[in-house]
Amino acid sequence: MIGLISATAAGAAARDRLAAAWPDRVRVYDGPVGDAVRRAFAECEQLVCFLATGAVVRLIAPLLGDKTADPGVVCVDEGGRFAVSLVGGHGGGANELAREVGELLGAEPVVTTATDAVGVPGLDTLGLPVEGDVAGVSRALLDGEPVALRAEVAWPLPPLRAGAEGACTIRVTDRLVEPGEREVVLHPPSLVVGVGASRGAPADEVLGLVESALRDAGLSPASLAELATVDAKADEPGILEAAERLGVPLVTHSADELAVVEVPNPSDAPLAAVGTPSVAEAAALVGGGELLVPKRKSERADGRPAMATCAVVRRPGRGRLSVVGLGPGARDLLTPRAKAELRRASVLVGLDQYVDQIRDLLRPGTRILQSGLGAEEERARTAVEEARKGQAVTLIGSGDAGVYAMASPALAEASDDIDVIGVPGVTAALAAAAILGAPLGHDHVSISLSDLHTPWEVIERRVRAAAEADIVVTFYNPRSRGRDWQLPKALAILAEHRTPTTPVGVVRNASRADESSRLTTLGSLDPATVDMMTVVTVGNTATRDIAGRMVTPRGYRWQASQEGPR
């Protein structure tokens, strides 16, 4: 919960804007400001104070304890010009909160945390449990000192400015280790513990077994990703409570799924009870990996038979491939999610001219693999290969990466051994439509006229189907020096079903500095004025030119009668 505190009418107005935008995230604290701050500090994870920073410093100073537990505090000035991350930038999430508040209120976020200021990822912001000399190693990264990265477990990390050697060390491991001097230990969630239990097995027995299995194998509980078991045990109280106390999810699998997993220690007892010869080992191994701790049983002080079993598996680190659409070109049409993925990438793959568009958004140390036009399949293969090495890879394309861009060839190369994240972007058809008016108000289709990879016979069949169905058509890749007849042919097909006065919108370099657009008609469009940087949108029989804007009615009955809601 985010506590909101204000003292003046101007502050209250901005406070109320946040409250209206985030009704489920915030709580307004009224009354004397000092009392409000103290109550919010005790009850909330974060605070936004519409007060001077000096006043807030004096109010929270006696309340500060541990930066890992204190709430994050953001100050917004009376004029709403700045959103200042005051304390808890990383641990309390104040840096990100300042950016969110700034975006909502139109204020400039002010973040002075050193790592954020110079673009180096904070070691305590990677989403992994961290131990050791975080401050010292972070300072070495900031100062450009050599820092060694020792990844005992492959894990997709952002660029850390670390190499093979250095006086400081970043160690990535699931082992139970004590950080050395000038060392930070990151624990990736690479361990899965499979558990089996008799009905009524006490939670303490299940929990004790899991903890002892990890400890005896020298493995860190901080790297535990999940407990896994058979569906029949999904509601077993002892297993459920053990997972809750360990702070990990309980994942269940069907007996049929577990029965086909090869295990070293099958048994007749679980086969008779739940239909699979193994629960603990099979549940841990079902997703693949290395069996670190074979099936072991719990030990009971009273000498009675064990009621729980477990096995521990290290799953291989999975690379991460994000496929990002950069939008049509304007920076303000690049989505926040796309920006976040660009900053997360340790490897960026893309067309050289697209890389140049967003190079300033990358973190220092990001490895860039760029190539020229015509190398789409090569870029897709490269991105997948880098992800398979356990890297955090971002593959970029213009517009939306799934529309005539890089998502399709990349996913054709990828298998289920990497994680793939798609980040949508504003595609050219949408950018052009917004400039033209509302040409896509009803059913519409996008068709590429490039026959480099698709036979013209297929393209023509699609154009003809759209023409006969009276669907608005947006043409991508309409005309180039080597392909100058396809657009006239496509327009001729549409003209068989639409009048010469049908509106046609032509937009070149949508959203870019040299953007141009015009509204013409099907009978008047000169294909020679169109090139590869142009998007051509042809209306249907209902599309109209209204006040110089291209509009396709939504087609609802109330529009025809002018009755009902607008």
Side-chain angles (χ1 to χ4, degrees):
M1 187 62 66
I2 303 171
L4 305 182
I5 302 102
S6 62
T8 67
R15 176 203 67 192
D16 292 344
R17 287 174 61 191
L18 279 189
W22 299 338
D24 299 326
R25 296 180 62 189
V26 303
R27 180 185 302 159
V28 174
Y29 284 80
D30 293 317
V33 170
D35 292 341
V37 169
R38 284 188 288 272
R39 284 186 289 123
F41 199 92
E43 297 170 357
C44 297
E45 291 83 20
Q46 295 174 320
L47 280 68
V48 178
C49 300
F50 296 87
L51 306 164
T53 54
V56 177
V57 167
R58 286 190 292 272
L59 289 169
I60 68 171
L63 309 176
L64 295 173
D66 186 336
K67 72 174 185 177
T68 62
D70 289 338
V73 179
V74 171
C75 292
V76 179
D77 66 287
E78 292 289 315
R81 297 169 301 167
F82 304 105
V84 182
S85 174
L86 189 63
V87 296
H90 286 168
N95 291 351
E96 184 56 35
L97 180 60
R99 296 184 182 100
E100 288 187 84
V101 170
E103 184 173 350
L104 185 62
L105 299 181
E108 180 71 24
V110 179
V111 175
T112 58
T113 308
T115 50
D116 291 69
V118 300
V120 175
L123 297 174
D124 54 350
T125 67
L126 301 179
L128 303 179
V130 58
E131 301 175 285
D133 187 9
V134 175
V137 176
S138 296
R139 190 177 306 113
L141 290 170
L142 290 169
D143 291 343
E145 295 180 19
V147 175
L149 177 62
R150 296 178 183 169
E152 299 171 13
V153 177
W155 208 259
L157 298 171
L160 293 174
R161 286 184 174 178
E165 301 292 337
C168 294
T169 304
I170 300 171
R171 184 175 179 185
V172 185
T173 183
D174 54 20
R175 294 286 176 184
L176 188 62
V177 297
E178 281 292 327
E181 185 178 355
R182 303 195 74 188
E183 181 178 66
V184 163
V185 175
L186 299 172
H187 290 291
S190 55
L191 303 178
V192 176
V193 175
V195 291
S198 303
R199 185 165 300 281
D204 285 343
E205 183 171 345
V206 177
L207 181 63
L209 173 62
V210 171
E211 291 178 336
S212 65
L214 293 172
R215 182 177 59 251
D216 293 348
L219 300 170
S220 172
S223 283
L224 182 58
E226 65 187 49
L227 294 190
T229 191
V230 66
D231 284 349
K233 297 297 178 180
D235 59 353
E236 186 62 44
I239 297 178
L240 287 168
E241 184 178 338
E244 182 179 359
R245 289 163 66 178
L246 287 165
V248 297
L250 176 64
V251 177
T252 63
H253 305 279
S254 69
D256 290 343
E257 188 178 5
L258 298 184
V260 299
V261 178
E262 292 188 11
V263 298
N265 300 294
S267 172
D268 292 335
L271 179 62
V274 295
T276 173
S278 172
V279 173
E281 288 181 338
L285 284 167
V286 70
E290 178 186 2
L291 183 63
L292 302 179
V293 179
K295 181 178 71 174
R296 60 186 286 176
K297 297 180 179 180
S298 56
E299 297 180 1
R300 307 191 71 183
D302 57 10
R304 298 177 66 184
M307 297 187 73
T309 60
C310 84
V312 184
V313 163
R314 174 187 291 135
R315 288 192 178 164
R318 292 171 64 87
R320 187 178 192 277
L321 172 61
S322 63
V323 188
V324 173
L326 300 180
R331 178 60 61 86
D332 59 356
L333 292 181
L334 178 66
T335 68
R337 188 179 300 180
K339 292 179 183 177
E341 288 295 335
L342 292 172
R343 294 182 63 76
R344 178 170 181 161
S346 60
V347 180
L348 182 86
V349 181
L351 179 67
D352 46 15
Q353 63 189 42
Y354 298 153
V355 171
D356 290 341
Q357 289 180 23
I358 48 82
R359 193 182 297 271
D360 62 301
L361 297 178
L362 304 176
R363 291 190 187 275
T366 302
R367 187 157 57 98
I368 298 173
L369 303 176
Q370 63 186 40
S371 52
L373 287 169
E376 288 82 3
E377 293 182 8
E378 176 190 340
R379 286 194 290 275
R381 284 194 297 270
T382 297
V384 171
E385 289 169 1
E386 290 294 327
R388 285 182 175 143
K389 297 175 185 177
Q391 302 283 347
V393 182
T394 293
L395 174 63
I396 58 173
S398 66
D400 181 279
V403 180
Y404 306 121
M406 294 306 302
S408 179
L411 268 61
E413 292 285 337
S415 53
D416 62 358
D417 58 346
I418 61 173
D419 294 324
V420 178
I421 297 90
V423 179
V426 179
T427 187
L430 299 181
I435 294 165
L436 294 170
L440 309 183
H442 208 284
D443 297 333
H444 54 275
V445 63
S446 296
I447 299 176
S448 171
L449 294 183
S450 172
D451 56 359
L452 294 177
H453 301 289
T454 304
W456 174 253
E457 293 76 14
V458 174
I459 297 172
E460 182 173 333
R461 187 166 66 246
R462 293 170 180 171
V463 174
R464 195 169 298 280
E468 293 173 352
D470 196 28
I471 296 176
V472 176
V473 181
T474 297
F475 289 123
Y476 281 70
N477 306 312
R479 184 177 180 274
S480 67
R481 290 196 183 108
R483 294 185 301 100
D484 58 1
W485 59 267
Q486 287 88 343
L487 178 59
K489 176 64 175 177
L491 295 174
I493 293 171
L494 292 176
E496 295 173 9
H497 300 271
R498 302 177 195 186
T499 68
T501 58
T502 300
V504 175
V506 180
V507 180
R508 188 176 190 279
N509 283 332
S511 87
R512 301 186 184 185
D514 55 348
E515 169 191 298
S516 64
S517 66
R518 67 184 189 279
L519 187 58
T520 182
T521 64
L522 186 56
S524 302
L525 175 62
D526 179 3
T529 63
V530 173
D531 63 13
M532 285 289 286
M533 306 303 294
T534 305
V535 172
V536 178
T537 300
V538 182
N540 64 11
T541 56
T543 305
R544 297 289 180 267
D545 178 344
I546 301 176
R549 302 182 185 92
M550 187 176 178
V551 180
T552 301
R554 292 168 64 184
Y556 298 149
R557 291 186 178 91
W558 55 260
Q559 282 197 308
S561 64
Q562 297 300 305
E563 294 176 358
R566 295 295 192 274

PDB file of all heavy atoms in Angstrom, residues 54 69 91 119 196 210 252 298 374 376-377 475 486 530 551-552:
ATOM      1  N   GLY A  54      12.852  19.007   2.628  1.00  0.00           N
ATOM      2  CA  GLY A  54      13.395  19.296   3.950  1.00  0.00           C
ATOM      3  C   GLY A  54      12.411  18.933   5.051  1.00  0.00           C
ATOM      4  O   GLY A  54      12.793  18.354   6.087  1.00  0.00           O
ATOM      5  N   ALA A  69      14.193  -2.606   5.263  1.00  0.00           N
ATOM      6  CA  ALA A  69      12.829  -2.740   5.774  1.00  0.00           C
ATOM      7  C   ALA A  69      12.032  -1.440   5.722  1.00  0.00           C
ATOM      8  O   ALA A  69      10.803  -1.468   5.717  1.00  0.00           O
ATOM      9  CB  ALA A  69      12.861  -3.252   7.217  1.00  0.00           C
ATOM     10  N   GLY A  91      15.581  -0.788  -2.209  1.00  0.00           N
ATOM     11  CA  GLY A  91      14.854  -1.694  -1.313  1.00  0.00           C
ATOM     12  C   GLY A  91      13.394  -1.323  -1.144  1.00  0.00           C
ATOM     13  O   GLY A  91      12.522  -2.196  -1.074  1.00  0.00           O
ATOM     14  N   GLY A 119      23.444   4.190 -14.982  1.00  0.00           N
ATOM     15  CA  GLY A 119      22.945   3.099 -15.807  1.00  0.00           C
ATOM     16  C   GLY A 119      23.464   1.726 -15.458  1.00  0.00           C
ATOM     17  O   GLY A 119      23.296   0.781 -16.229  1.00  0.00           O
ATOM     18  N   GLY A 196       7.006 -36.073  -1.420  1.00  0.00           N
ATOM     19  CA  GLY A 196       5.909 -37.016  -1.260  1.00  0.00           C
ATOM     20  C   GLY A 196       5.607 -37.128   0.223  1.00  0.00           C
ATOM     21  O   GLY A 196       6.499 -36.917   1.052  1.00  0.00           O
ATOM     22  N   VAL A 210      13.026 -31.163   4.001  1.00  0.00           N
ATOM     23  CA  VAL A 210      13.491 -30.320   2.890  1.00  0.00           C
ATOM     24  C   VAL A 210      14.718 -29.522   3.309  1.00  0.00           C
ATOM     25  O   VAL A 210      15.725 -29.456   2.591  1.00  0.00           O
ATOM     26  CB  VAL A 210      12.365 -29.379   2.412  1.00  0.00           C
ATOM     27  CG1 VAL A 210      12.901 -28.363   1.415  1.00  0.00           C
ATOM     28  CG2 VAL A 210      11.220 -30.177   1.809  1.00  0.00           C
ATOM     29  N   THR A 252       2.015 -28.968  -8.878  1.00  0.00           N
ATOM     30  CA  THR A 252       1.589 -30.360  -8.902  1.00  0.00           C
ATOM     31  C   THR A 252       1.550 -30.890 -10.331  1.00  0.00           C
ATOM     32  O   THR A 252       1.345 -30.140 -11.291  1.00  0.00           O
ATOM     33  CB  THR A 252       0.203 -30.528  -8.263  1.00  0.00           C
ATOM     34  OG1 THR A 252      -0.767 -29.795  -9.018  1.00  0.00           O
ATOM     35  CG2 THR A 252       0.215 -30.024  -6.825  1.00  0.00           C
ATOM     36  N   SER A 298      12.253 -38.826   5.629  1.00  0.00           N
ATOM     37  CA  SER A 298      12.357 -38.069   6.877  1.00  0.00           C
ATOM     38  C   SER A 298      12.698 -39.010   8.026  1.00  0.00           C
ATOM     39  O   SER A 298      12.479 -40.225   7.943  1.00  0.00           O
ATOM     40  CB  SER A 298      11.029 -37.357   7.168  1.00  0.00           C
ATOM     41  OG  SER A 298       9.951 -38.286   7.194  1.00  0.00           O
ATOM     42  N   GLY A 374      18.122  -7.445 -45.015  1.00  0.00           N
ATOM     43  CA  GLY A 374      18.155  -8.751 -45.658  1.00  0.00           C
ATOM     44  C   GLY A 374      18.715  -9.864 -44.811  1.00  0.00           C
ATOM     45  O   GLY A 374      18.821 -11.002 -45.271  1.00  0.00           O
ATOM     46  N   GLU A 376      17.429 -11.009 -41.861  1.00  0.00           N
ATOM     47  CA  GLU A 376      16.453 -11.296 -40.813  1.00  0.00           C
ATOM     48  C   GLU A 376      16.636 -12.689 -40.205  1.00  0.00           C
ATOM     49  O   GLU A 376      16.627 -12.849 -38.982  1.00  0.00           O
ATOM     50  CB  GLU A 376      15.020 -11.162 -41.361  1.00  0.00           C
ATOM     51  CG  GLU A 376      14.579  -9.738 -41.626  1.00  0.00           C
ATOM     52  CD  GLU A 376      15.066  -9.218 -42.967  1.00  0.00           C
ATOM     53  OE1 GLU A 376      15.704  -9.997 -43.709  1.00  0.00           O
ATOM     54  OE2 GLU A 376      14.819  -8.040 -43.281  1.00  0.00           O
ATOM     55  N   GLU A 377      16.793 -13.696 -41.050  1.00  0.00           N
ATOM     56  CA  GLU A 377      16.927 -15.059 -40.532  1.00  0.00           C
ATOM     57  C   GLU A 377      18.218 -15.214 -39.725  1.00  0.00           C
ATOM     58  O   GLU A 377      18.241 -15.906 -38.706  1.00  0.00           O
ATOM     59  CB  GLU A 377      16.882 -16.062 -41.684  1.00  0.00           C
ATOM     60  CG  GLU A 377      15.516 -16.126 -42.364  1.00  0.00           C
ATOM     61  CD  GLU A 377      15.467 -17.167 -43.465  1.00  0.00           C
ATOM     62  OE1 GLU A 377      16.439 -17.939 -43.603  1.00  0.00           O
ATOM     63  OE2 GLU A 377      14.460 -17.199 -44.194  1.00  0.00           O
ATOM     64  N   PHE A 475      -1.805  -1.714 -46.931  1.00  0.00           N
ATOM     65  CA  PHE A 475      -0.708  -2.360 -47.653  1.00  0.00           C
ATOM     66  C   PHE A 475       0.630  -1.965 -47.033  1.00  0.00           C
ATOM     67  O   PHE A 475       0.975  -0.787 -46.941  1.00  0.00           O
ATOM     68  CB  PHE A 475      -0.713  -1.955 -49.128  1.00  0.00           C
ATOM     69  CG  PHE A 475      -1.849  -2.543 -49.917  1.00  0.00           C
ATOM     70  CD1 PHE A 475      -2.733  -1.731 -50.610  1.00  0.00           C
ATOM     71  CD2 PHE A 475      -2.031  -3.920 -49.970  1.00  0.00           C
ATOM     72  CE1 PHE A 475      -3.768  -2.273 -51.347  1.00  0.00           C
ATOM     73  CE2 PHE A 475      -3.076  -4.474 -50.696  1.00  0.00           C
ATOM     74  CZ  PHE A 475      -3.951  -3.652 -51.384  1.00  0.00           C
ATOM     75  N   GLN A 486       3.374  -4.390 -58.372  1.00  0.00           N
ATOM     76  CA  GLN A 486       2.472  -5.080 -57.456  1.00  0.00           C
ATOM     77  C   GLN A 486       1.375  -4.154 -56.906  1.00  0.00           C
ATOM     78  O   GLN A 486       0.207  -4.546 -56.816  1.00  0.00           O
ATOM     79  CB  GLN A 486       3.261  -5.693 -56.280  1.00  0.00           C
ATOM     80  CG  GLN A 486       4.073  -6.916 -56.659  1.00  0.00           C
ATOM     81  CD  GLN A 486       5.465  -6.578 -57.155  1.00  0.00           C
ATOM     82  OE1 GLN A 486       5.739  -5.414 -57.513  1.00  0.00           O
ATOM     83  NE2 GLN A 486       6.351  -7.553 -57.201  1.00  0.00           N
ATOM     84  N   VAL A 530       4.588   6.352 -54.203  1.00  0.00           N
ATOM     85  CA  VAL A 530       4.654   5.475 -53.030  1.00  0.00           C
ATOM     86  C   VAL A 530       5.988   4.742 -53.023  1.00  0.00           C
ATOM     87  O   VAL A 530       6.493   4.339 -54.077  1.00  0.00           O
ATOM     88  CB  VAL A 530       3.481   4.471 -53.050  1.00  0.00           C
ATOM     89  CG1 VAL A 530       3.613   3.446 -51.940  1.00  0.00           C
ATOM     90  CG2 VAL A 530       2.154   5.207 -52.942  1.00  0.00           C
ATOM     91  N   VAL A 551     -12.529   8.200 -42.415  1.00  0.00           N
ATOM     92  CA  VAL A 551     -13.335   7.606 -41.347  1.00  0.00           C
ATOM     93  C   VAL A 551     -14.109   6.415 -41.894  1.00  0.00           C
ATOM     94  O   VAL A 551     -14.818   6.523 -42.899  1.00  0.00           O
ATOM     95  CB  VAL A 551     -14.330   8.629 -40.756  1.00  0.00           C
ATOM     96  CG1 VAL A 551     -15.162   7.991 -39.645  1.00  0.00           C
ATOM     97  CG2 VAL A 551     -13.591   9.853 -40.237  1.00  0.00           C
ATOM     98  N   THR A 552     -13.962   5.277 -41.217  1.00  0.00           N
ATOM     99  CA  THR A 552     -14.767   4.101 -41.527  1.00  0.00           C
ATOM    100  C   THR A 552     -15.751   3.885 -40.389  1.00  0.00           C
ATOM    101  O   THR A 552     -15.331   3.640 -39.246  1.00  0.00           O
ATOM    102  CB  THR A 552     -13.888   2.844 -41.687  1.00  0.00           C
ATOM    103  OG1 THR A 552     -12.937   3.074 -42.730  1.00  0.00           O
ATOM    104  CG2 THR A 552     -14.733   1.628 -42.020  1.00  0.00           C
TER     105      THR A 552
END
